[in-house]
Amino acid sequence: LENSHTTTGTVTERIKTTSSEGSVLYQPRIQFTTDNGEQITFTSGTSSNPPSHKKGDVVDVYYQIDNPQKAKIKGFLTLWAAPILMAGIGLSFFMLGFSMLIKKTRTNRKVKALKANGQRIQAKVKHIGLNTSHKINGRSPYQIQAQWQNPSTSKVHVFKSEYLWFDPTDYVNEEEITVLIDRNNPKKYYVDVSFLPQLAK
């Protein structure tokens, strides 16, 4: 905007286009004259249905002083749609990363509390394999699944380890694995995988 001049232009026609979803849209083509008397014709980058303008409409135009072909109709969407879209995409990635950070922080606090005050039990290892319902960059993590029967209630509890990005099978040499549980709520637990080697980065 700082490097642009303003003038008025006239809609000479409406260009019919088709979106990727098959919808029919219309883009106005505008003709205007620069301060130097050069006649410029450009097609607006914003399309809509119903059409935003009809043939013969007079519109305000911004054009670049050193490149009059770079012109836009003066209007909120035509000027700010792209920045708003990019800001929205950036915000969505930020919120995703922030939510993952919050989740990781909460998990670390829970594990720390369980290590300090949790009850240590031995659960039978039932399965080691890929969790195909979860993918990151096309890869599924491994998980260790174990179960334990609560002697107080006779109920069976199933525990799943954190996501593991290598096959831990060769390193699980025992039939049982240590699980830290909340004494009052066994649904709060942590499968202790500290015996596994660290994954090289």
Side-chain angles (χ1 to χ4, degrees):
L1 296 178
E2 291 178 353
N3 298 312
S4 297
H5 277 184
T6 57
T7 186
T8 56
T10 303
V11 178
T12 59
E13 61 179 311
R14 295 187 302 207
I15 308 299
K16 183 178 179 181
T17 62
T18 304
S19 70
S20 56
E21 292 81 18
S23 302
V24 175
L25 301 170
Y26 296 91
Q27 294 172 280
R29 179 167 288 173
I30 298 96
Q31 188 177 81
F32 68 93
T33 303
T34 68
D35 291 349
N36 297 328
E38 183 180 2
Q39 194 172 77
I40 302 293
T41 300
F42 75 98
T43 301
S44 173
T46 304
S47 54
S48 63
N49 192 2
S52 57
H53 299 87
K54 63 180 183 294
K55 186 176 180 179
D57 281 353
V58 176
V59 295
D60 292 325
V61 174
Y62 280 108
Y63 69 91
Q64 294 288 303
I65 300 171
D66 56 348
N67 185 7
Q69 290 292 343
K70 293 187 67 175
K72 289 181 179 292
I73 297 174
K74 183 180 180 180
F76 182 80
L77 286 180
T78 53
L79 291 174
W80 301 108
I84 289 173
L85 176 62
M86 295 305 295
I89 294 173
L91 181 61
S92 65
F93 277 109
F94 170 79
M95 293 303 296
L96 176 62
F98 185 70
S99 64
M100 291 174 66
L101 178 62
I102 293 296
K103 183 178 180 180
K104 182 67 174 177
T105 301
R106 288 177 176 174
T107 299
N108 289 341
R109 287 179 180 173
K110 182 188 78 171
V111 172
K112 186 177 180 180
L114 287 171
K115 286 182 177 180
N117 304 306
Q119 178 183 349
R120 300 175 72 89
I121 63 169
Q122 296 301 119
K124 291 183 179 179
V125 176
K126 289 296 183 180
H127 178 71
I128 302 174
L130 289 169
N131 181 350
T132 55
S133 64
H134 186 86
K135 288 184 181 293
I136 295 180
N137 295 329
R139 292 182 59 207
S140 294
Y142 286 86
Q143 278 188 302
I144 301 172
Q145 182 175 305
Q147 69 182 39
W148 168 73
Q149 187 175 22
N150 190 332
S152 301
T153 63
S154 298
K155 292 183 178 180
V156 174
H157 296 265
V158 177
F159 306 110
K160 293 181 180 180
S161 73
E162 62 190 75
Y163 292 147
L164 304 168
W165 297 102
F166 64 94
D167 187 350
T169 304
D170 293 340
Y171 308 100
V172 182
N173 300 319
E174 304 293 334
E175 293 183 356
E176 294 182 332
I177 191 169
T178 300
V179 180
L180 303 170
I181 64 171
D182 187 311
R183 298 175 187 275
N184 301 316
N185 183 8
K187 291 183 178 180
K188 295 181 180 180
Y189 68 87
Y190 171 68
V191 177
D192 187 0
V193 293
S194 59
F195 64 92
L196 293 175
Q198 295 294 311
L199 180 66
K201 296 182 179 180

